[in-house]
Amino acid sequence: MLEIELPKMLPNQQDMDLIDILWRQDIDLGAGREVFDYSYRQKEVQLQRQKELEEEKREQIVREKEKALLAQLQLDEETGEFVPRPTPVNNTLTQANTAPTEITQNVAFTEQDGEAMSFDECMQLLAETFPLVEPAEAAPPCLGPSIPPCTDNTHLMMPGEIPLLTQNPLLPGPMDQTWMDLQHCLNIQEILDMSGYVNPAQPANVQESNYSQYLPKLSDVTTGTADMCPPKFMNTYDAAFSNVNQINLKTPDINESFGPDEFCDMFYPDLEAKVSSASLPCEGENTDGQLDELPNAPLLNPMDMHSLSPGNFSTEKNEEMAEFPDSDSGLSLDASPKMSSPGKSLNSDGGVGFSDSDMDELDSGAGSMESDYSDMFPLLFQSDSPLQSLQENSGVTLAQEDTVKHPKTEQAEASGYSKPPFTKDKQKRRLEARLTRDEERARALKIPFAVELIINLPVDDFNSLMGKHQLNEAQLALVRDIRRRGKNKVAAQNCRKRKMENIMGLEYELDSLKEEKERLMKEKSKNSSSLRDMKQQLSSLYLEVFSMLKDEQGKPYSPSEYSLQQTSDGNVFLVPRIKKTLVKSN
DNA sequence: CGAAAGTGTCATGTT
DNA sequence: TGAACATGACACTTT
């Protein structure tokens, strides 16, 4: 909509200033400028604005970074070392569990190394070298870059590999500034190497980057891409692994001691067990080709990253839940045919050889296990037993053929049938108890069709289906009964539903009428009161006017002898009452 | 244990 | 005329 309306606007300087203000407010949220900028405007203007913005933010960001680092590092008064605070704000999956310990160890290692600059030196250098960076603490937690490495079985996500990526001097500029700064704080040489690749004027462009490119493919690492990971991901990544980088610089062969699986276990202690079915990139035979698919992989979706924590895989469960949606009533019309109910077979249909009591015996003979089985595989329970159903597969195949012929209805029902009813347990048990009587009857008479097929097939298809099979009279009668009962059951459900709807509609109408009545009564009372007042006023006015009338002698007229009457044309006459009565009597 | 509600089924009428 | 549908009535089950 914005895109439709904006072209009508003539963006003047004022509009652009407003957009800039809005953008500044949202830039820390990771919103790209493009979000607010319809036509991308002139790039010169954009760059100018960005530079101005950078200048404005420079000092503040440096302060924020200092705060972030101070929050991460705490001076140990006993040892004089900067030690990390216990578990920073990072709440993402892998980083929350693994990275903090890594950071802890590595920071301590770095500080002990003696080669590191002091913290003040680092901060000063940081402020001088990198004019614009995003606040570290403003970075939303994200582990996007930390997961994709798992996809490459050869070298991705190996502990030594991440540093190989990040320590690379050719690391592209748009990579998160915090990461850069931390590296610079810890390694002067790296600062010198990397500073040439930092383009402070590009932070907005980072939005366009595909963070999947940040996957530590060695080729990509060495070549470097201009656009890597969105800042919000990179920030977290950097904060978590910046120190890992340092220790791995000193132990570059550490990656050889870790297999990809080990590394996955390290980063996803519970993940593999819980989402193994989701083809977690950690497991197995991932290739670089698969790496290209990662941007589309759900687990690598930035949205999912926030919820990807060990022990919290609600996303996975939600998908399962989505596959078994509950229906409003639990007895939808389409699903209802799955329920067969007890009933008397129509012996009148030619007196075929089974009755309700016969059916009851048959019912008792049928195993409940088979009923459950038939619940799960409605098209495969036509035989007396699952084994037999496998042997007598003619009916099955025919049912399947019909399923193919009517994929819209039958397959939908079959799929719905395989879904466990998502209603209350008691209702489910109740349904299960009633579910299979007709089905068991059909199975007892070796009806080679599924009950729902019998019920829901169009009549032509149903007749053709009957014609295809040589059914005896009992079977035919049962099939007709099943069909009749099934349809009538649905009809009864519809009828009751309609009845309830009618009752509810009538109740609503009754309430409306009551309200209307109340309103009309109030209005009537109001009108009566008003009429009374008007009559009172009229009477007063009448007497006033009448008292003003005088006869020839100047005497007032008697109200009992005269009255004032008004004609249709508005004239008022004094009419003698006697005369009037005389006229009336005449 | 009985009342109320829910459900399946039958008979019958209507479409 | 038969199939599908609608609905009252009944029986049974569940609450």
Side-chain angles (χ1 to χ4, degrees), chain A residues 38-108:
Chain A
Y38 165 72
S39 62
Y40 286 80
R41 294 192 288 174
Q42 297 87 353
K43 293 216 169 184
E44 296 84 358
V45 176
Q46 196 174 24
L47 289 175
Q48 185 177 358
R49 291 288 172 186
Q50 288 176 358
K51 288 179 181 177
E52 293 175 359
L53 182 66
E54 290 159 8
E55 286 295 325
E56 292 172 0
K57 286 200 163 188
R58 180 177 165 181
E59 291 185 3
Q60 178 188 355
I61 290 170
V62 169
R63 267 186 275 115
E64 289 173 345
K65 293 179 72 64
E66 182 176 356
K67 242 193 300 181
L69 285 173
L70 282 175
Q72 196 175 15
L73 300 178
Q74 189 175 25
L75 183 64
D76 189 336
E77 295 181 359
E78 295 181 356
T79 63
E81 295 176 349
F82 276 101
V83 296
R85 291 178 183 274
T87 307
V89 292
N90 218 332
N91 60 351
T92 56
L93 166 66
T94 56
Q95 291 172 352
N97 292 317
T98 60
T101 56
E102 294 284 339
I103 292 171
T104 299
Q105 296 168 356
N106 294 323
V107 169

Side-chain angles (χ1 to χ4, degrees), chain A residues 178-325:
Chain A
T178 304
W179 165 243
M180 299 290 194
D181 297 339
L182 290 174
Q183 280 195 319
H184 285 284
C185 289
L186 300 171
N187 191 326
I188 293 177
Q189 184 59 46
E190 291 247 337
I191 292 171
L192 297 177
D193 290 339
M194 296 172 65
S195 59
Y197 294 88
V198 174
N199 184 2
Q202 280 188 339
N205 292 337
V206 178
Q207 289 290 327
E208 303 175 358
S209 65
N210 183 356
Y211 83 100
S212 65
Q213 300 177 12
Y214 188 68
L215 299 181
K217 268 164 107 174
L218 284 179
S219 58
D220 291 344
V221 169
T222 53
T223 57
T225 56
D227 295 328
M228 298 295 265
C229 179
K232 60 181 181 179
F233 301 124
M234 295 305 302
N235 286 341
T236 307
Y237 181 90
D238 299 336
F241 288 99
S242 60
N243 295 310
V244 181
N245 179 27
Q246 291 306 310
I247 188 169
N248 285 304
L249 282 173
K250 300 175 177 62
T251 59
D253 56 340
I254 190 171
N255 56 346
E256 297 177 2
S257 62
F258 285 87
D261 292 336
E262 294 167 338
F263 192 68
C264 289
D265 291 339
M266 194 173 79
F267 276 75
Y268 307 97
D270 297 330
L271 187 66
E272 194 167 5
K274 295 194 176 187
V275 293
S276 60
S277 63
S279 301
L280 190 73
C282 292
E283 66 171 324
E285 308 299 324
N286 296 321
T287 63
D288 290 345
Q290 289 172 285
L291 195 63
D292 297 334
E293 302 173 0
L294 285 175
N296 296 328
L299 277 177
L300 302 179
N301 189 309
M303 296 286 292
D304 294 336
M305 298 309 173
H306 298 280
S307 61
L308 256 178
S309 63
N312 179 16
F313 285 88
S314 58
T315 302
E316 185 81 6
K317 288 192 172 184
N318 287 338
E319 289 179 358
E320 288 185 2
M321 303 274 282
E323 290 183 356
F324 303 99

Side-chain angles (χ1 to χ4, degrees), chain A residues 542 560-565 574-586:
Chain A
Y542 180 91
S560 59
E561 297 176 0
Y562 295 91
S563 67
L564 288 173
Q565 292 191 5
L574 184 65
V575 180
R577 290 184 182 274
I578 300 172
K579 212 174 193 176
K580 181 181 174 183
T581 53
L582 286 176
V583 171
K584 277 186 178 179
S585 64
N586 292 334

